[in-house]
Amino acid sequence: MPRLTVDDLKKIKEQHREKLALKEGGSRVKVTVHMGTCGIAAGAKKVMDALLDEIGKAGAKDIIVATSGCAGLCSKEPMATVEVLNAAPVKYVYLNEEKMRKIFAEHVQKGQVVGECALVAGSETAY
Amino acid sequence: MDTFRTSVMVCGGTGCVAGGTLKIKKALDEELRRKGLEKEINVLLTGCLGFCAQGPVIAVHPDEIFYQRLTAEDIPVIVEDHFVKGRPVERLVCKEPAREQTVPLMKDIPFYNLQVLRALRNKGMIDAENIDEYIARDGYQAAAKALTEMTSAQIVDEMKRSGLRGRGGAGFPTGLKWEFCAKVKDDQKYILCNGDEGDPGAFMDRSIMEADPHVVLEGMLIGAKAIGASKGYIYVRAEYPLAVHRLQLAIDQAKEYGLLGENILGTGFNLDIEIYQGAGAFVCGEETALMRSLEGKRGMPRPRPPFPAVKGLWDKPTVLNNVETYANIPPIILNGADWYRSLGTEKSSGTKVFALSGAISNIGLIEVPMGIPLRKIIYEIGGGVPNKRKFKAVQLGGPSGGCIPEHLLDTPVTYEDIMQTGAIVGSGGMVVMNDLNCMVSVAKFFLEFTAEESCGKCPPCRIGTTVMLDILTNITEGRGKAGDIELLQDMAQDIISTSLCGLGQTAPNPVLTTIRYFRDEYESHINEGWCRTGVCKDLCTFYIDEEKCKACGACKRVCPQDAVSGEKKVPHRIDQARCIQCRSCYEVCKFDSVKIGPRSMRELLKGLPGQDALRDRQIRTLAGKEE
């Protein structure tokens, strides 16, 4: 990768902002597994493996899987955020492999939020 | 208060802010002012409205109209057509997508709606190991601005005006620190990052380094430009392997992009950053000790002046800031000092990250505007004390801080107000304690920590903390004597006034604040041989109040010693010869029938009731049932 100029920085920003945001014609769902120290200690790795396993079995190609850091509620880890195109992101708490598989089948595939594991919908306030 | 005919809620969720909400709010404010409508229409920034995919969105009340995917250019049309002529702009109106009503929205949950993310703005949003995702959320834009458009003096001025104070604990104004160093002329200067977070119960810096490592690099880059440094070090404790790993990846990626190294962004500015892993000594969080440790020497503080801004690392001018401080810098450069000052108080501006832990429902990492009362943090954001226990105190500032009791919970969280209580804001660890905590033991725990971590340079700290610890140990083990409390207070003052560095100067704080607010607990330990919380095993007797006992058997099942006897419908008894004071029965009892008495009850309770009238009366007296 060549050394960047200020303009390159703006280009990367635009390109990746598009990539980060779901849009018509692109990926349909983004699943973020929160993997800070707290998440990993609580079993986020297994949750991630279960998710990848389900995606592989379903042969789904329109799902972005991402990792990220601590989501702020360490005592409710493992946590994951599921964002379906045209809907608010939903944060899931106290996950395990079984719950992740269920969330995949219902929320990721059919767009139905799994109420019993969901904590909240929306994104956090930033000023 | 003015009454408005219409309120416009501008979504301040991270998704919408990334999409340009702040520009929209600015455009809206300006347009309304131009039309003279600012007294009629109220514009508010609100928590996430839940339509992130359609963002940026605004909601208009009482019309109940949502506008979606806005840009600043749409604002004049909305103001003209909707607010002046009363006709909503159809093409921008949101067609609300079907949403599950069962899941609450963030704006309705205190944990989320009382928080404001600045330092943590990328928390859980980006892949920490991918620089492009950081750049996509305005990453390195502030550094680009600082390097290409701003002079060193302008950066320093912006920082000074923002009022940002060091988030590591001491609260020294960052802009001032930078100014001192910028003024010194030297061929080599250093910019350092303090990631040696060591307070028990604090994990703010670790989380930032793990979740958003590039923000630390960007903050350092801006600081380096401000003071004229060309070399930087991040001092991280080796106990944070994931943070070290992600920081290293971030440095490698930034170097590859030319955002670190030589001729950054083609501006001719050079900065190289390396990680230095500390071995975990608490004192190495002190700035001069940290620098000695970086030089490869034993980490020990030295007297100041000369201050590090003049003579720091290898005797060269050096600036050291904390991880969280750096995380605040890029948004200040991008949005300006006035934006930063818009939250917080006059002397404590902006937001502060806290790590909530202990006896609290929502354990985690939060960011709140300075000036928020402690009560709001603990009861609304933190969700209060779980398991129906009672709040007792909150420990702020780790081993350098103090315990704040219930009656001071309305104290606003600012550097000055917290200092008044005897605690400090510190780096941001907040440990909540419930009624199962013995405050003498809490003080002892923190003193144990500082006595062990004292580097040994100053006798008042090295010997003083050890002697104080001995006294506390005596008190908790039943050897306390009259005058101990006064002796502790005396010694504490001596240690505070004669220690060289912050470690010694603050080490007695946990003891002093617990004496100040929980003196009765110290007295009952010393005078009555009674630890009423049942923590100090030598100073308590567990017994069952037979009038209250429902004979449910819960205590019997949980006892590891089989010390509880009793059948169904027969009040249970604890065999004092077997009891090891583990407190399990007390914690499990739902009927408040397991009681904690003073040490002197233990022998008395070894006999059976009814055999000795005098003994029975003594027991009843100690149990508070007879005067």
Side-chain angles (χ1 to χ4, degrees), chain B residues 584-600:
Chain B
S584 303
C585 52
Y586 178 79
E587 286 172 43
V588 83
C589 181
K590 286 194 172 64
F591 307 103
D592 192 28
S593 59
V594 178
K595 299 286 182 189
I596 299 170
R599 166 178 55 179
S600 50

Side-chain angles (χ1 to χ4, degrees), chain A residues 36-39 41 69-77 79, chain B residues 111 115 119-120 123 167-168 194-212 216 236-237 239-240 242-243 246 282 322-324 327 352-367 377 381-382 395-399 425-432:
Chain A
T37 293
C38 44
C70 170
L73 267 172
C74 312
S75 56
K76 296 186 178 13
E77 295 278 1
M79 291 176 68
Chain B
F111 179 79
Q115 289 198 54
L120 299 180
K123 159 177 104 171
R167 296 295 192 238
N194 190 347
D196 191 55
E197 183 175 55
D199 294 1
F203 47 90
M204 302 76 51
D205 295 347
R206 172 175 62 72
S207 296
I208 293 174
M209 291 186 283
E210 284 175 3
D212 200 9
V216 180
V236 193
R237 47 180 44 222
E239 290 100 321
Y240 283 177
L242 190 60
R246 288 185 177 165
F282 183 63
N322 162 268
V323 168
E324 190 192 329
K352 175 81 191 86
V353 180
F354 287 101
L356 293 182
S357 65
I360 192 157
S361 297
N362 297 329
I363 291 172
L365 199 66
I366 62 157
E367 182 169 2
I377 296 182
I381 299 177
Q395 163 81 20
L396 252 75
V425 171
S427 59
M430 251 189 212
V431 185
V432 178

Side-chain angles (χ1 to χ4, degrees), chain B residues 134-434:
Chain B
Y134 178 68
I135 294 174
R137 289 177 59 83
D138 284 336
Y140 290 105
Q141 300 288 332
K145 184 177 171 188
L147 292 185
T148 57
E149 297 168 25
M150 297 173 84
T151 63
S152 158
Q154 282 172 329
I155 300 173
V156 167
D157 186 55
E158 200 70 34
M159 293 309 299
K160 273 170 72 181
R161 285 201 307 118
S162 75
L164 175 66
R165 296 171 64 170
R167 296 295 192 238
F172 190 80
T174 307
L176 215 53
K177 198 189 254 185
W178 288 11
E179 187 177 40
F180 290 147
C181 192
K183 280 184 177 162
V184 181
K185 290 206 176 6
D186 208 312
D187 54 345
Q188 177 71 62
K189 294 184 187 176
Y190 295 102
I191 183 115
L192 309 182
C193 172
N194 190 347
D196 191 55
E197 183 175 55
D199 294 1
F203 47 90
M204 302 76 51
D205 295 347
R206 172 175 62 72
S207 296
I208 293 174
M209 291 186 283
E210 284 175 3
D212 200 9
H214 285 283
V215 79
V216 180
L217 303 184
E218 191 179 359
M220 289 177 76
L221 196 48
I222 295 165
K225 160 89 183 193
I227 63 165
S230 58
K231 178 82 195 170
Y233 291 97
I234 306 176
Y235 191 98
V236 193
R237 47 180 44 222
E239 290 100 321
Y240 283 177
L242 190 60
V244 171
H245 169 73
R246 288 185 177 165
L247 276 171
Q248 190 58 55
L249 271 178
I251 292 175
D252 295 345
Q253 290 171 353
K255 276 189 182 155
E256 208 176 302
Y257 269 4
L259 294 165
L260 284 179
E262 286 178 7
N263 192 17
I264 295 167
L265 291 167
T267 59
F269 186 79
N270 307 328
L271 177 69
D272 193 28
I273 294 180
E274 270 181 58
I275 296 175
Y276 186 91
Q277 293 191 42
F282 183 63
V283 74
C284 287
E286 196 278 341
E287 61 175 1
T288 58
L290 184 149
M291 288 169 202
R292 292 296 86 79
S293 171
L294 255 173
E295 290 168 358
K297 298 175 189 146
R298 177 172 167 187
M300 276 180 142
R302 63 154 176 81
R304 295 170 298 185
F307 286 94
V310 182
K311 273 190 170 192
L313 188 61
W314 288 297
D315 282 345
K316 294 291 183 185
T318 305
V319 155
L320 172 75
N321 287 123
N322 162 268
V323 168
E324 190 192 329
T325 311
Y326 281 125
N328 275 298
I329 289 165
I332 294 178
I333 294 298
L334 267 190
N335 304 315
D338 293 330
W339 165 83
Y340 193 73
R341 297 200 70 93
S342 68
L343 291 178
T345 65
E346 179 61 30
K347 285 186 177 159
S348 302
S349 61
T351 55
K352 175 81 191 86
V353 180
F354 287 101
L356 293 182
S357 65
I360 192 157
S361 297
N362 297 329
I363 291 172
L365 199 66
I366 62 157
E367 182 169 2
V368 289
M370 283 268 189
I372 188 174
L374 275 170
R375 190 181 298 279
K376 264 197 156 149
I377 296 182
I378 289 161
Y379 285 97
E380 296 186 40
I381 299 177
V385 181
N387 305 324
K388 295 184 182 160
R389 301 241 64 109
K390 264 185 65 191
F391 173 89
K392 187 165 190 178
V394 56
Q395 163 81 20
L396 252 75
S400 305
C403 290
I404 299 178
E406 167 92 44
H407 74 270
L408 290 175
L409 275 188
D410 291 312
T411 309
V413 177
T414 68
Y415 289 99
E416 294 75 26
D417 291 303
I418 297 293
M419 190 84 87
Q420 287 288 315
T421 67
I424 56 167
V425 171
S427 59
M430 251 189 212
V431 185
V432 178
M433 285 170 260
N434 64 17

Side-chain angles (χ1 to χ4, degrees), chain B residues 464-484:
Chain B
T465 52
T466 309
V467 173
M468 280 179 76
L469 181 59
D470 284 346
I471 299 173
L472 284 173
T473 307
N474 282 342
I475 295 176
T476 55
E477 289 177 1
R479 297 183 300 273
K481 49 187 188 297
D484 275 354

